[in-house]
Amino acid sequence: MSYYDENGFYDDNSIYPYDDVPTGSYYPPAGKTPMSSSRHKRRLNALLGIVALLLLVALTAGVFYVVRNFGVSVERTEDGFTFSLGARQAQAEEAPAVQQPTAQQPSVPDTHTDVADTQPAPTPIGTGTTLTITDSPRSVPTRPSDEDDALSLQEIYQRVIGSVVSISSATPTGTASGTGIIMSEDGYVITNHHVVSGAQVISVLTSSDEQYDAILIGSDEISDIAVLKMDASGLQPAQFGDSNQLRVGDAVVAIGDPLGVQLRGTMTNGIISAINRDLTVDDRTMTLIQTNAALNNGNSGGPLINCYGQVVGINTMKMSSYYSSASVEGLGFAIPIAVAKPIIDELIENGYVAGRPAIGITGETLPQTFRTYYHLPSGIYVTSVAEGSDAKAKGLAEGDVITAINDTPVTSISELNTVKNQFVAGDTVTLTVYRGGKYYLVEITLIDQATGK
């Protein structure tokens, strides 16, 4: 049923809103008639038709895309229809069948050449081809110095290597290794004290692979020098030079066993970096030669050699070995031969170095927490006193604290030894000792470290 306004035109707005229908009435107010239900259905059907058309177009486009790009095909078979994916691609990649010639179709000669047919055949194994080495001239000698009579590095090595030995020592806690220098034809060998310290068995291996047992003639911890003796003869002794003639910048080489016997006979070269270098090691001061020739564990006790093939130093340590856990390169040290000679001579003669001063006590540096708890001053806590020493005779005892020597305050063993080593055995020094809340002055006579007297 249609609705028209007072002018005879169709009026959509004349549809009465249902929320204005009075309660309990099923009819619109007078003059208002609702839209026909048939017209409403026609509009809904038209809208659904448009939606269905759009879906059909989209579906058709999707099917076309799949068929075109993925090779979808549908085939009729005896059992129905077969849906396959990729059939076209497989067919496109499939090589065309070669037709066999027939009587009606003469064969065409095959002019195709396979690529493999054009490649050269591989050379069979064992055809006699070998690497060719061209004769080379002998290398030019490398001369580290322009000094008169200076040797080349090659000549230095040939002259000295026969005087260098490898040392292995067995200790209660394991083994130690180092290098040594043949001092005499009859088997005296020089090395470092720390290479053979605590050794129960000492073995020496020469450059000619001859092995000998050795005995310890004498060892001095302060100078870090030891002398060994092999039961041998006809050995090649090294030639020793005057280390007092060295200058900074002089060329030197080191020969030894870096990191052990496996690398024995290794030579490294460098220069004298400094002379008369005073270093404190384990509460003792050593006057050393500094060099940038590469030294490593195992070089200890080996020779530092000048450009004339003369031994001018005994390699003793690398800076990182004592001062830092970090790797430090180019900082090696050697004992000057001029300093080592009197010690070596005395070790051979007496087995020890006489005159080394000692107080006759052992002690330790007190940590701050210990001193605070027991109300003790800074100093050296005495842990034992040597029998027969003057310190024992003067009444020093375990538990005393040494706070000064000759009025110089000391807080560690190193500081105490620095002052003590300025004297010799037989000299008198005065110790300041703390005991039971009081300070005492004790005058004692220094004893010989080697003999204890």
Side-chain angles (χ1 to χ4, degrees), residues 292-341:
N292 67 342
L295 300 178
N296 290 281
N297 295 334
N299 278 108
S300 295
L304 185 70
I305 310 158
N306 64 14
C307 62
Y308 307 108
Q310 300 172 326
V311 177
V312 292
I314 304 170
N315 299 322
T316 183
M317 63 175 153
K318 185 179 180 181
M319 180 64 79
S320 61
S321 300
Y322 292 91
Y323 289 88
S324 172
S325 60
S327 177
V328 178
E329 301 301 331
L331 289 177
F333 297 90
I335 305 167
I337 285 297
V339 174
K341 173 180 167 44

Side-chain angles (χ1 to χ4, degrees), residues 89-103:
Q89 184 177 358
Q91 291 175 1
E93 294 176 354
E94 184 178 355
V98 179
Q99 296 181 354
Q100 297 295 330
T102 61

Side-chain angles (χ1 to χ4, degrees), residues 357-359 420 423-429 444-448 453:
I359 297 174
K420 178 206 66 177
F423 301 90
V424 296
D427 289 345
T428 300
V429 296
I444 67 167
T445 301
L446 297 175
I447 62 174
D448 192 308
K453 298 179 181 178

Side-chain angles (χ1 to χ4, degrees), residues 103-118:
Q104 292 79 14
Q105 183 180 0
S107 61
V108 180
D110 185 8
T111 59
H112 172 70
T113 302
D114 193 349
V115 176
D117 296 339
T118 64

Side-chain angles (χ1 to χ4, degrees), residues 147-383:
E147 299 287 338
D148 295 339
D149 300 328
L151 304 178
S152 68
L153 294 180
Q154 293 86 343
E155 291 170 334
I156 293 173
Y157 187 81
Q158 291 300 322
R159 174 175 291 190
V160 181
I161 186 61
S163 304
V164 180
V165 296
S166 303
I167 298 176
S168 299
S169 58
T171 68
T173 58
T175 59
S177 63
T179 308
I181 309 165
I182 296 177
M183 173 186 163
S184 65
E185 184 180 359
D186 59 349
Y188 281 95
V189 174
I190 305 168
T191 189
N192 284 150
H193 164 84
H194 72 263
V195 171
V196 295
S197 178
Q200 296 174 324
V201 178
I202 303 174
S203 177
V204 176
L205 179 66
T206 67
S207 62
S208 58
D209 292 331
E210 295 177 304
Q211 189 161 352
Y212 298 90
D213 291 332
I215 59 173
L216 179 64
I217 297 297
S219 185
D220 182 54
E221 181 179 6
I222 293 178
S223 63
D224 197 23
I225 295 175
V227 177
L228 310 178
K229 179 66 171 65
M230 301 183 295
D231 186 10
S233 61
L235 300 177
Q236 177 186 330
Q239 182 180 359
F240 296 89
D242 186 0
S243 58
N244 289 328
Q245 300 300 318
L246 291 175
R247 298 177 298 170
V248 173
D250 284 353
V252 290
V253 301
I255 300 178
D257 300 358
L259 306 181
V261 179
Q262 293 81 359
L263 300 178
R264 67 191 180 105
T266 296
M267 183 174 78
T268 57
N269 69 313
I271 62 169
I272 298 295
S273 303
I275 56 176
N276 298 326
R277 182 73 81 188
D278 289 336
L279 294 180
T280 300
V281 181
D282 293 339
D283 68 45
R284 67 186 188 274
T285 300
M286 303 177 68
T287 301
L288 304 172
I289 301 169
Q290 181 180 330
T291 178
N292 67 342
L295 300 178
N296 290 281
N297 295 334
N299 278 108
S300 295
L304 185 70
I305 310 158
N306 64 14
C307 62
Y308 307 108
Q310 300 172 326
V311 177
V312 292
I314 304 170
N315 299 322
T316 183
M317 63 175 153
K318 185 179 180 181
M319 180 64 79
S320 61
S321 300
Y322 292 91
Y323 289 88
S324 172
S325 60
S327 177
V328 178
E329 301 301 331
L331 289 177
F333 297 90
I335 305 167
I337 285 297
V339 174
K341 173 180 167 44
I343 298 172
I344 293 170
D345 291 344
E346 192 163 356
L347 289 175
I348 293 174
E349 181 179 357
N350 302 321
Y352 62 89
V353 177
R356 299 284 194 203
I359 297 174
I361 60 100
T362 57
E364 60 184 23
T365 303
L366 293 176
Q368 178 65 42
T369 54
F370 187 93
R371 290 190 288 107
T372 300
Y373 184 82
Y374 288 101
H375 305 288
L376 297 176
S378 298
I380 295 91
Y381 184 84
V382 176
T383 56

Side-chain angles (χ1 to χ4, degrees), residues 42-67:
R42 285 197 300 272
R43 286 188 174 184
L44 181 59
N45 291 335
L47 180 60
L48 292 175
I50 293 173
V51 173
L53 180 60
L54 292 175
L55 291 175
L56 180 60
V57 172
L59 180 61
T60 302
V63 172
F64 178 78
Y65 177 84
V66 172
V67 171

